[in-house]
Amino acid sequence: MAFLALFGAAGFRAAPGALMVPLHHEFGWSTSIMSLAVGINLLLFGLVAPFAAALMDRFGMRKVISSALLLVACGAGGSTLMTASWHLLVFWGLLIGTGTGAMALVLAATVANRWFITRRGLVMGVLTAGSATGQLVILPPVAVMAETWGWRPASLLIGAAALAVIPMVLLFMRDYPEESGALPYGADPETHKAPPRATGGAFSRALEGLRFAVRQRAFWALAIAFAICGATTNGLIGIHFIPSAHDHGMPATTAAGLLAAVGVFDIAGTVASGWLTDKFDPRKLLVAYYAFRGVSLVLLPGLLAETVHPSIVLFVVIYGLDWVATVPPTAVLCRRVFKSAEPSSSAGSSPRTR
């Protein structure tokens, strides 16, 4: 169920990229105002995550994920009633950004930590690959619908898909292994003790955790790196690849197919990254991933053309393998760094926090 929720979250977040050109044609809205809506979406995607994690600890994953899917459905369905550009900021930015931010990576990390003792890197890779699968499955139909029947039916499809997942989450998702009479994978039955459940105010605990984290050097290093990751995937390629390719004369449906192909290779790349994270230093993996990504982006402007040619296909393969391969090593580094640091410690007191 976590895979399915992640699948949907990525598809919902990738869909605006296929709708920007139709919206521009109908309303004349500039790319800058649509990019602002996407920027709000991305900002909330990050800001909501720590609070969503605290709410999951307090009220359970099912309630939080169901509420998040409902927000996405409201954002996608409500966008069909837009008449002014500021409506875009509300539906695309506020509602869909908050909804997808409450799922995505925080859900993958929560599931990996609760249900697995060993193979957490691999599990993070598999769950994160769900985001690639969502992009792969949802984006091409949305692009075809937007071009054939208009962007409103495409938006309604996104909303309907979000609503369809809610009953499955409520029926089948479990918060802890004990609820299914099982132990976390890799746990020793003789020594394993279930961790204490969270109590108290979710928001106060989230703020306390953030106050502690911002005093650690490692937090800022990981946060800045991961901000670059998000900006170069969802913010740059995920949203603007289709409009940019369209500006070069490529049909939007063809560009959407290329972007979906990125998702195909990301499935392999992210799962492989999880496997590598369990075996190698995650810091070295991140250096390699960001280096490949930087080179690919430098070359991209010269690769866009009216038709698909071998060089753009090579870009799709390389960028796809590297799309969110950064997630498993980043998650493992966070766990190592902050597991070793005590909240009562002063900033920098632990060598692992540097």
Side-chain angles (χ1 to χ4, degrees):
M1 289 311 305
F3 184 93
L4 185 61
L6 290 164
F7 164 97
F12 306 145
R13 294 185 69 243
L19 305 181
M20 290 178 74
V21 173
L23 283 171
H24 173 71
H25 287 163
E26 179 170 338
F27 295 107
W29 294 341
S30 66
T31 301
S32 60
I33 189 65
M34 290 186 280
S35 296
L36 176 60
V38 172
I40 294 172
N41 181 298
L42 289 172
L43 181 64
L44 288 171
F45 183 79
L47 290 177
V48 165
F51 298 97
L55 289 170
M56 287 180 192
D57 285 341
R58 185 69 178 86
F59 300 106
M61 292 188 291
R62 281 179 293 183
K63 293 180 180 178
V64 175
I65 299 306
S66 298
S67 300
L69 288 166
L70 185 60
L71 283 176
V72 170
C74 291
S79 67
T80 62
L81 305 176
M82 292 188 299
T83 56
S85 59
W86 67 267
H87 296 162
L88 197 67
L89 307 183
V90 175
F91 292 117
W92 275 18
L94 179 61
L95 295 180
I96 294 181
T98 302
T100 55
M103 295 184 283
L105 303 180
V106 65
L107 175 60
T110 300
V111 170
N113 287 332
R114 290 183 182 180
W115 287 77
F116 294 85
I117 301 299
T118 60
R119 303 290 184 185
R120 280 178 173 147
L122 179 60
V123 171
M124 281 293 299
V126 172
L127 290 177
T128 306
S131 64
T133 309
Q135 176 180 299
L136 165 66
V137 173
I138 293 178
L139 189 57
V142 168
V144 171
M145 289 186 70
E147 188 168 284
T148 306
W149 294 296
W151 64 271
R152 288 180 179 85
S155 293
L156 290 174
L157 173 64
I158 297 168
L163 289 175
V165 178
I166 293 176
M168 291 183 280
V169 170
L170 292 173
L171 287 172
F172 300 112
M173 180 171 278
R174 297 292 179 266
D175 289 303
Y176 294 93
E178 305 88 75
E179 296 178 9
S180 301
L183 291 175
Y185 180 83
D188 185 347
E190 301 296 329
T191 60
H192 175 73
K193 293 183 179 179
R197 304 292 174 88
T199 58
F203 284 92
S204 62
R205 289 189 300 106
L207 290 173
E208 181 182 355
L210 285 172
R211 281 195 297 267
F212 168 66
V214 297
R215 295 196 295 267
Q216 316 302 319
R217 295 180 185 178
F219 170 83
W220 291 106
L222 291 169
I224 291 170
F226 213 53
I228 294 171
C229 174
T232 54
T233 51
N234 296 305
L236 186 61
I237 300 300
I239 299 299
H240 293 287
F241 179 82
I242 294 176
S244 181
H246 183 268
D247 289 344
H248 284 77
M250 182 180 291
T253 51
T254 302
L258 288 173
L259 197 54
V262 169
V264 175
F265 289 100
D266 180 46
I267 295 172
T270 308
V271 173
S273 177
W275 180 81
L276 290 170
T277 300
D278 286 330
K279 296 183 176 296
F280 300 102
D281 186 342
R283 295 172 298 177
K284 294 179 180 178
L285 293 176
L286 287 175
V287 169
Y289 296 158
Y290 283 116
F292 275 109
R293 183 174 301 181
V295 171
S296 299
L297 287 173
V298 168
L299 297 176
L300 177 60
L303 304 180
L304 293 172
E306 295 183 6
T307 58
V308 177
H309 48 84
S311 57
I312 194 67
V313 172
L314 181 62
F315 170 84
V316 165
V317 173
I318 294 175
Y319 211 81
L321 291 172
D322 197 14
W323 181 257
V324 286
T326 55
V327 173
T330 301
V332 168
L333 278 174
C334 286
R335 181 171 179 80
R336 289 182 185 178
V337 168
F338 293 106
K339 185 179 180 180
S340 67
E342 296 294 334
S344 59
S345 305
S346 60
S349 62
S350 170
R352 296 291 296 276
T353 63
R354 292 186 180 274

